[in-house]
Amino acid sequence: MLHASRTARSRSFCPRQPFALRVLLASRVRRRITNTASVDLHPSLRACAVPCLPLPITHRFRLRSNRAMAREYEEALDCLSSLITRRTRADGSNKGDHFDLMFDYLKILDLEDAIPELKVIHVAGTKGKGSTCTFTESILRCCAFRTGLFTSPHLIDVRERFRLDGVEVSEEKFLEYFWWCWHRLQEKTGDDVPMPTYFRFLALLAFKIFSAEQQVDVAIMEVGLGGKFDATNVVQKPIVCGISSLGYDHMEILGHTLREIAGEKAGIFKKGVPAYTVPQPEEAMHALEDKASQLGVPLQLASPLDTGLLKNQHLGLDGEHQYLNAGLAIALSSVWLETTGNLKNMNIDEQVKLPEQFVSGLSRARLEGRAQIVPDSLGQVGGLTFYLDGAHSPESMEMCAKWYSHAIREDPSRLGERPHENHYMRQGDHPNSLGGKDHQQILLFNCMSVRDPQLLLPRLINTCDQHGVKFYKAIFVPNQSVYNKVTSLASPPTDPQRVDLSWQLTLQKVWENFMHSEQGPSCASVCEDSLVFPSLPLAIKWLRESVQQSRSVQVQVLVTGSLHLVGDVLKLIKN
């Protein structure tokens, strides 16, 4: 049963009346005013009381100052933070989480009829689903279609999750749709139908943005976690579904076998809707095929992209694994074009030739925090470079290590160029002897406590060792961001004094035990030691000071283990 009004308890989600509401109230007053001098107005509305015609909703928010908008944006983030559950992700009650509530929310937000009108590409997977969605969006945008892209998580600002035509939604547009959804849900939800949780609200917001006046031609939706019970799975008739590489991740929720995990991912399959996947482990592939057979889904295998089809161009996302994701993106884009009747004048032969629009889209794709190289903006002598990759599973750790081992061979003077134009090392080469300048590789690492560092760190260390990379030092540090607070680039930092370092000390112990074990790398003696810092700013400060003291050394820092850590580093660098 939906409630027509909210209790005092439910209103407490957002403690202050938002500025957006005052602006909308002022716009109503403005319609009736012809002589401002004769009207006694509250001071908060007087500035808006000028003789003018009513403005459409998309223009009302332009009336406020940057400071007011920034204040309102922080209010919206506070409201979002109130939706974050305090339960641990390993809590068994997370499964499903009353998925049917999503359809109540669709009714409240007038999305029941809007979502079926969206031409959706739906993508799940363990690794590479964000990259696949990014490639797909870029391809279709280069084919001159209006695109909407929803991905997760964000690195710095929540607006990164919502992209229109490749650009994150503006603060103005975000606030317009945020407050509309927020107030509608506050009015209509109650004890029987509570406010949606954090990710569900964001997914609903994405559907509202893409289906409202924006009128996107295609909506590319990345699954947040799993598939069957994911908030994005309210789409009943997508144009095509995709499953990227599968592996062991989120096992506390999805299951402890590849078959169980694949079964959850295949939950996005819909009867008769075509689906594509990439080469998978045998156990996972069997699970996908079984689910597809039950639903009459034509499941096909997408081949990795042949580099010769790029016509001397390079993929916009670096790493050899990206050719797998690019191949899946090509298949998804092709099916979407064909199903929607837009395949005219497109010469698509994935084995022989790709259209210019496809090549352009693949080469222009960008995704922060994945195989990203960022020279330190405060470095006075260019001696500090960050290599950022949000790998957080054993398989992605191996891919990350291969990319890093190749990327550090690049001449530092060319870091402003395309990240994939790397100088690959020859067998026997060592990265510490490049360019007449000493090079030191340092690991900056953190991962969530639900992950097993004994699976992650050895995979990373040994793969780097096989490619001749010997870490000089390892640094373990807690994330700057916290799970229950949504922040932006302008948000104040959290207090580092209250951070519990027990997990970082555990990571350090795993590192040191493995480095000196029989299974450890041959370069163990090269690694001087490991450090634990109580905060990320202190770790970055230490790195910068070390570079300034030894100007003959080029320090190459691999930041990995957590997308949240990668986002925190990017935020500090940009600030």
Side-chain angles (χ1 to χ4, degrees):
M1 178 178 178
L2 303 183
H3 293 260
S5 62
R6 299 289 294 163
T7 63
R9 174 194 59 78
S10 62
R11 291 193 191 96
S12 67
F13 276 111
C14 193
R16 293 201 295 140
Q17 186 184 49
F19 185 78
L21 198 58
R22 300 197 295 272
V23 172
L24 291 176
L25 178 60
S27 68
R28 293 175 184 173
V29 173
R30 187 191 308 116
R31 298 174 187 174
R32 300 175 173 85
I33 295 176
T34 56
N35 183 358
T36 59
S38 64
V39 180
D40 184 18
L41 290 176
H42 188 278
S44 65
L45 299 178
R46 193 171 295 137
C48 297
V50 293
C52 62
L53 294 173
L55 292 175
I57 191 170
T58 53
H59 295 283
R60 292 174 191 166
F61 292 93
R62 296 176 186 173
L63 299 172
R64 58 185 159 231
S65 67
N66 289 337
R67 181 177 297 178
M69 182 180 288
R71 184 171 62 250
E72 183 187 350
Y73 191 62
E74 289 299 319
E75 289 178 4
L77 297 186
D78 286 341
C79 290
L80 264 181
S81 298
S82 72
L83 301 179
I84 299 175
T85 176
R86 297 305 194 267
R87 295 174 305 181
T88 64
R89 285 173 45 185
D91 187 338
S93 62
N94 274 355
K95 188 172 183 180
D97 210 14
H98 304 292
F99 181 72
D100 289 345
L101 285 175
M102 283 297 298
F103 298 97
D104 291 322
Y105 301 140
L106 297 185
K107 292 179 183 178
I108 293 172
L109 297 177
D110 300 331
L111 286 170
E112 279 185 299
D113 297 327
I115 288 181
E117 295 297 318
L118 286 175
K119 296 178 174 62
V120 173
I121 297 175
H122 202 189
V123 182
T126 305
K127 308 177 297 294
K129 61 182 184 291
S131 298
T132 298
C133 288
T134 299
F135 279 131
T136 305
E137 185 279 331
S138 186
I139 288 172
L140 294 176
R141 176 160 40 91
C142 286
C143 291
F145 293 102
R146 185 115 203 264
T147 61
L149 174 64
F150 177 65
T151 58
S152 61
H154 63 273
L155 296 181
I156 297 176
D157 194 300
V158 71
R159 292 180 295 113
E160 298 167 23
R161 298 174 183 244
F162 316 90
R163 294 187 179 271
L164 294 170
D165 298 325
V167 179
E168 66 184 47
V169 67
S170 66
E171 279 192 14
E172 183 179 23
K173 195 173 295 295
F174 175 85
L175 289 171
E176 174 185 338
Y177 289 106
F178 176 88
W179 289 124
W180 190 93
C181 292
W182 180 266
H183 291 304
R184 179 67 70 92
L185 287 164
Q186 286 271 293
E187 289 174 7
K188 302 293 185 180
T189 56
D191 293 333
D192 294 335
V193 181
M195 282 290 285
T197 52
Y198 172 66
F199 183 79
R200 288 185 173 184
F201 182 91
L202 294 178
L204 292 164
L205 182 58
F207 286 125
K208 194 65 181 177
I209 292 173
F210 297 159
S211 63
E213 62 191 62
Q214 303 312 314
Q215 297 178 340
V216 299
D217 298 312
V218 55
I220 300 101
M221 306 295 294
E222 178 193 357
V223 166
L225 191 155
K228 183 178 180 180
F229 297 117
D230 189 73
T232 61
N233 206 29
V234 293
V235 177
Q236 298 299 297
K237 195 71 175 177
I239 300 297
V240 62
C241 296
I243 305 289
S244 64
S245 298
L246 298 178
Y248 293 99
D249 198 12
H250 305 301
M251 292 180 290
E252 74 280 5
I253 296 175
L254 303 181
H256 293 274
T257 68
L258 281 178
R259 184 171 187 84
E260 290 176 314
I261 293 170
E264 290 291 324
K265 306 290 185 181
I268 69 169
F269 289 169
K270 303 297 186 299
K271 186 175 182 179
V273 174
Y276 277 83
T277 188
V278 298
Q280 304 283 6
E282 184 177 0
E283 182 182 358
M285 185 61 80
H286 286 329
L288 295 179
E289 291 171 343
D290 288 348
K291 185 66 173 180
S293 177
Q294 294 170 18
L295 295 173
V297 169
L299 177 63
Q300 298 185 58
L301 195 65
S303 300
L305 172 65
D306 182 346
T307 57
L309 297 178
L310 289 175
K311 304 175 183 178
N312 297 320
Q313 297 293 315
H314 299 275
L315 287 179
L317 306 182
D318 197 23
E320 62 182 49
H321 58 289
Q322 294 295 357
Y323 290 94
L324 203 63
N325 300 326
L328 180 57
I330 291 170
L332 297 176
S333 301
S334 301
V335 172
W336 186 90
L337 288 167
E338 181 178 7
T339 305
T340 56
N342 290 295
L343 203 56
K344 301 175 183 177
N345 303 320
M346 290 279 183
N347 184 13
I348 302 177
D349 186 340
E350 299 171 25
Q351 304 301 321
V352 179
K353 184 180 181 181
L354 285 178
E356 293 290 341
Q357 298 95 321
F358 278 49
V359 175
S360 181
L362 292 169
S363 63
R364 294 180 183 180
R366 296 291 181 270
L367 185 61
E368 281 201 321
R370 282 78 164 180
Q372 183 179 5
I373 303 173
V374 182
D376 182 31
S377 58
L378 294 184
Q380 301 299 315
V381 292
L384 179 60
T385 303
F386 293 96
Y387 296 75
L388 305 112
D389 191 88
H392 51 267
S393 69
E395 297 85 359
S396 59
M397 278 289 156
E398 183 175 339
M399 293 296 101
C400 169
K402 289 180 179 179
W403 162 74
Y404 176 67
S405 300
H406 294 155
I408 60 176
R409 303 301 303 175
E410 185 166 328
D411 182 348
S413 66
R414 298 176 60 223
L415 282 175
E417 301 177 23
R418 298 181 63 80
H420 45 257
E421 294 175 350
N422 299 320
H423 296 294
Y424 290 87
M425 71 174 69
R426 298 181 300 274
Q427 188 173 4
D429 278 356
H430 191 282
N432 288 347
S433 59
L434 280 176
K437 191 174 186 178
D438 287 336
H439 289 64
Q440 289 180 352
Q441 288 76 49
I442 293 180
L443 176 65
L444 182 60
F445 187 90
N446 191 34
C447 67
M448 295 180 64
S449 59
V450 294
R451 308 197 189 282
D452 186 352
Q454 299 191 64
L455 296 177
L456 301 181
L457 286 171
R459 195 80 165 258
L460 175 70
I461 296 166
N462 282 338
T463 305
C464 284
D465 183 50
Q466 292 165 10
H467 289 78
V469 175
K470 310 177 189 301
F471 286 107
Y472 171 74
K473 198 179 297 289
I475 297 174
F476 301 99
V477 63
N479 295 345
Q480 184 80 350
S481 55
V482 291
Y483 82 96
N484 60 351
K485 173 67 176 173
V486 185
T487 61
S488 67
L489 186 61
S491 301
T494 55
D495 182 4
Q497 295 179 354
R498 298 182 179 180
V499 174
D500 179 6
L501 295 178
S502 59
W503 178 245
Q504 282 65 46
L505 293 171
T506 298
L507 296 175
Q508 183 185 41
K509 185 176 181 180
V510 171
W511 166 274
E512 292 183 347
N513 287 344
F514 181 74
M515 291 296 287
H516 297 97
S517 69
E518 293 183 359
Q519 294 76 31
S522 59
C523 62
S525 60
V526 177
C527 186
E528 189 174 271
D529 60 351
S530 58
L531 300 172
V532 171
F533 281 91
S535 74
L536 185 57
L538 289 176
I540 300 294
K541 179 182 178 183
W542 179 86
L543 286 167
R544 286 169 171 164
E545 290 176 349
S546 299
V547 169
Q548 290 176 355
Q549 293 172 5
S550 303
R551 299 202 172 193
S552 62
V553 175
Q554 174 76 29
V555 177
Q556 300 163 316
V557 182
L558 173 60
V559 183
T560 191
S562 163
L563 275 168
H564 298 288
L565 175 64
V566 167
D568 291 342
V569 171
L570 283 172
K571 182 177 179 179
L572 285 171
I573 294 173
K574 290 185 177 183
N575 273 334

